[in-house]
Amino acid sequence: MRYKGPLPKRVVDPVNAWLMGLRSSPRWGRLVSGHFTVVTYTGRRSGRTFSLPVAFRRDGDLVTISVSMPEKKMWWRNFTDEGGPVTLHLDGTDRPGHALARVGDKGRVTVTVRLGNGRNSV
């Protein structure tokens, strides 16, 4: 039987800490920063601020995050329906944006972030 719940915190936290450290590393940071960013957001229900590393693709002011194993992750659910505000650490600075999560064919989840302060359609 397959495990269907969220990934255990004892597994996720060390991996996220390792990726965050790799991004800020003088040796590897420049290379890794082109593929990984840090998403900072406020939880809809908890009101707490969270930061986590994610892989991304960028095209100008449009950033696309493909969520792997979305059934085991909870963070992207904060951006369903109308979406919500996020901050992405790009090019050495924090950039505000509006994120919108969409569930596509076969349960694939994509979070699209429009950088800037407005809520332009994504």
Side-chain angles (χ1 to χ4, degrees), residues 18-36:
W18 178 76
L19 275 171
M20 299 275 261
L22 195 61
R23 276 192 88 254
S24 61
S25 158
R27 184 173 192 173
W28 302 104
R30 185 177 288 194
L31 211 112
V32 174
S33 293
H35 302 284
F36 288 92

Side-chain angles (χ1 to χ4, degrees), residues 16-116:
N16 284 350
W18 178 76
L19 275 171
M20 299 275 261
L22 195 61
R23 276 192 88 254
S24 61
S25 158
R27 184 173 192 173
W28 302 104
R30 185 177 288 194
L31 211 112
V32 174
S33 293
H35 302 284
F36 288 92
T37 186
V38 176
V39 173
T40 302
Y41 65 96
T42 302
R44 278 188 183 176
R45 289 190 286 178
S46 70
R48 292 177 45 210
T49 300
F50 299 92
S51 294
L52 61 128
V54 295
F56 74 100
R57 283 176 279 126
R58 182 176 179 188
D59 184 13
D61 283 344
L62 195 63
V63 176
T64 305
I65 302 164
S66 296
V67 181
S68 59
M69 299 185 300
E71 69 281 358
K72 298 186 183 306
K73 297 176 181 171
M74 306 295 279
W75 72 269
W76 62 268
R77 291 172 173 90
N78 285 282
F79 307 109
T80 56
D81 301 324
E82 298 290 316
V86 295
T87 301
L88 300 180
H89 191 81
L90 298 167
D91 305 326
T93 186
D94 289 336
R95 304 273 313 269
H98 185 82
L100 182 61
R102 290 198 173 107
V103 180
D105 296 340
K106 301 178 186 174
R108 293 187 180 126
V109 174
T110 302
V111 177
T112 307
V113 179
R114 171 82 57 195
L115 297 175

